[in-house]
Amino acid sequence: GGRLCSAVDPDPAVACLGQGVTGVSPHFAQWETGREAGRHAIALHWTTAGSPTRVRVARPVSLSGADALALRVFVPPNSRGTALDVSVTDSHGRRATLGRVRADGLPGSDRTASYWARELRVPLTAARRAGLDLRSVTSLELTPRSGSGRAWLMDAWGWRPGTPAVRAAVLPRVDVGRLTVDEGDSGVRTYHVPVQVSGRGSGQVRVYVVDPATGTAKDRLVTVEPGGHGIDVPVEVRGNTRYGADVPYDVLVKAVHGAVVGSYRGGLTVHNDDPAPTVTVTPLADRVTEGAALKWRISLSEAADTDIGSLFVPVPVGGGTELSTKDVDPGWLAGVSGAEPDPERPLSQVDGLYLWLDMPAGQTSLDVTVPTVRDQVAEPAESVAFQQTDDEGKPLPGGLTLTGTVLDAS
């Protein structure tokens, strides 16, 4: 049997090639969106000869003037002997078997893109002999003649020798711009994504509008012509006084028929125009006995509409003894740095030790803990300091600091 599969998919290999395949196909490419409407292939899989797969078209197509029917087909790498009988049916129900095509797979492995299609042709002589109306073909039938196998049909068309006469194309061109606006403090405003259609004539494009929250895209087929208003994407912007990230409303356009696309990506960017909330640190337990946990509370002056993250790194203490890798819980140490307690060393000398503090949107406080362990060694008081970093991960002068002291329990 055969099935229609998406040639552009979040995982095209699984969607069209199926589970457990080795290698990939260069024909199944990903685009900007998770799924691209209108691009498909026919996947055939059979276990016995003689099970036909029929492909019907929404509207009859013409093969008038063609010498042969050309098929773009590929089979699994390293396979041999795939044979398919090719038949067509016209809108009057007349059917003719055109002939048989054979295909062998390319050499391939899980490291190669060996699912390459090749062009296979069958003459239309039998169709003319049977009196088919080649101006109105409604279906294509593929019947496997090998015992078992797999194949993929990418497309089919009428072929004749030579090249068509060269004619200057008269096409409309679509360019999508981007508009950036401030969100404002209140109210709802409607903006329209700037789209320019130039050139001449009319054609079809597919317009994708991406949801900024989910990343999914809704699409529609649009007829465009210069001076027309086929592509209108309104965006409602609600103002508020809470800090948030800039929000992009992306619009993507791809040519389908009789049109070209220049700037294919654009949209509307809603710029956050509110100041970030003030961040403060409050010690909850910054002087503890070993075995207890150091604890601080990170607070925002007000909630935000986006996550607010801060990175802290341990820095050498100003004086005295610094907390070491054997003074803290080994599970906590492994979780924040991947390091082991041995050899013992100050926390500021542990490579890759970072505290990533992420305040979820809508939340105003977050508690941070550093669990310590009790030992039998008499020690002086030990201190630790975590300094807020800049965008490059280096201690930020004047940034927030988490400081604490651990006292000996003996």
Side-chain angles (χ1 to χ4, degrees):
R3 63 182 179 88
L4 185 70
C5 60
S6 173
V8 179
D9 185 88
D11 191 346
V14 172
C16 270
L17 298 184
Q19 296 281 357
V21 298
T22 57
V24 296
S25 171
H27 303 291
F28 299 155
Q30 289 178 287
W31 194 51
E32 294 276 349
T33 59
R35 286 184 180 272
E36 183 185 344
R39 289 185 60 191
H40 302 92
I42 304 296
L44 291 79
H45 185 200
W46 64 94
T47 54
T48 57
S51 302
T53 294
R54 181 175 290 111
V55 183
R56 295 183 177 88
V57 290
R59 295 186 301 273
V61 297
S62 176
L63 298 178
S64 178
D67 289 1
L69 176 67
L71 310 172
R72 207 157 54 103
V73 175
F74 67 86
V75 295
N78 308 310
S79 65
R80 297 184 64 82
T82 297
L84 300 166
D85 281 352
V86 182
S87 304
V88 291
T89 303
D90 68 11
S91 58
H92 305 289
R94 291 187 289 263
R95 178 180 177 276
T97 298
L98 304 181
R100 183 172 298 179
V101 294
R102 291 178 171 83
D104 295 330
L106 293 175
S109 70
D110 58 353
R111 296 177 178 269
T112 61
S114 298
Y115 290 82
W116 278 95
R118 58 177 294 189
E119 184 177 323
L120 306 173
R121 298 178 194 153
V122 283
L124 291 169
T125 308
R128 292 191 174 92
R129 188 184 306 123
L132 265 70
D133 183 0
L134 292 178
R135 298 168 301 176
S136 182
V137 176
T138 57
S139 69
L140 164 68
E141 190 174 289
L142 300 176
T143 305
R145 292 307 176 192
S146 45
S148 63
R150 305 186 71 181
W152 290 263
L153 172 66
M154 300 300 298
D155 48 34
W157 67 97
W159 177 91
R160 61 182 175 183
T163 56
V166 176
R167 292 180 297 176
V170 179
L171 302 172
R173 169 178 166 144
V174 177
D175 290 274
V176 187
R178 180 168 290 277
L179 183 65
T180 299
V181 300
D182 289 337
E183 67 176 5
D185 293 339
S186 62
V188 179
R189 297 172 179 83
T190 299
Y191 298 91
H192 294 264
V193 174
V195 179
Q196 181 182 14
V197 181
S198 57
R200 291 187 295 167
S202 66
Q204 287 187 321
V205 298
R206 193 171 294 277
V207 180
Y208 298 83
V209 180
V210 182
D211 187 314
T214 65
T216 58
K218 292 184 178 180
D219 67 90
R220 68 180 190 268
L221 197 62
V222 176
T223 298
V224 293
E225 57 186 358
H229 304 283
I231 303 179
D232 181 28
V233 183
V235 178
E236 286 190 351
V237 177
R238 298 181 179 274
N240 64 37
T241 57
R242 291 184 13 150
Y243 176 80
D246 291 353
V247 179
Y249 291 84
D250 291 330
V251 175
L252 311 166
V253 176
K254 197 166 190 181
V256 174
H257 176 74
V260 293
V261 175
S263 174
Y264 77 97
R265 170 190 279 274
L268 178 79
T269 298
V270 180
H271 172 63
N272 167 70
D273 54 7
D274 301 308
T278 302
V279 185
T280 56
V281 174
T282 303
L284 299 180
D286 62 346
R287 189 174 180 86
V288 301
T289 301
E290 60 181 6
L294 294 165
K295 193 172 185 179
W296 304 268
R297 176 163 293 163
I298 311 296
S299 301
L300 300 182
S301 57
E302 58 183 344
D305 284 338
T306 186
D307 293 0
I308 295 180
S310 296
L311 193 65
F312 290 78
V313 295
V315 294
V317 297
T321 305
E322 185 179 345
L323 208 65
S324 78
T325 53
K326 288 197 172 183
D327 295 317
V328 295
D329 179 76
W332 174 87
L333 180 65
V336 296
S337 68
E340 298 289 339
D342 291 315
E344 185 175 13
R345 56 215 184 272
L347 292 183
S348 62
Q349 296 180 16
V350 177
D351 291 337
L353 199 167
Y354 297 98
L355 296 182
W356 172 250
L357 309 182
D358 185 31
M359 186 81 69
Q363 189 170 313
T364 58
S365 65
L366 177 70
D367 291 347
V368 184
T369 60
V370 175
T372 68
V373 295
R374 184 171 181 173
D375 57 34
Q376 305 301 317
V377 180
E379 299 171 307
E382 297 170 300
S383 301
V384 67
F386 293 94
Q387 181 77 43
Q388 189 180 16
T389 72
D390 57 19
D391 293 338
E392 297 180 354
K394 297 180 180 179
L396 180 66
L400 297 175
T401 305
L402 312 178
T403 59
T405 301
V406 179
L407 305 176
D408 188 50
S410 58

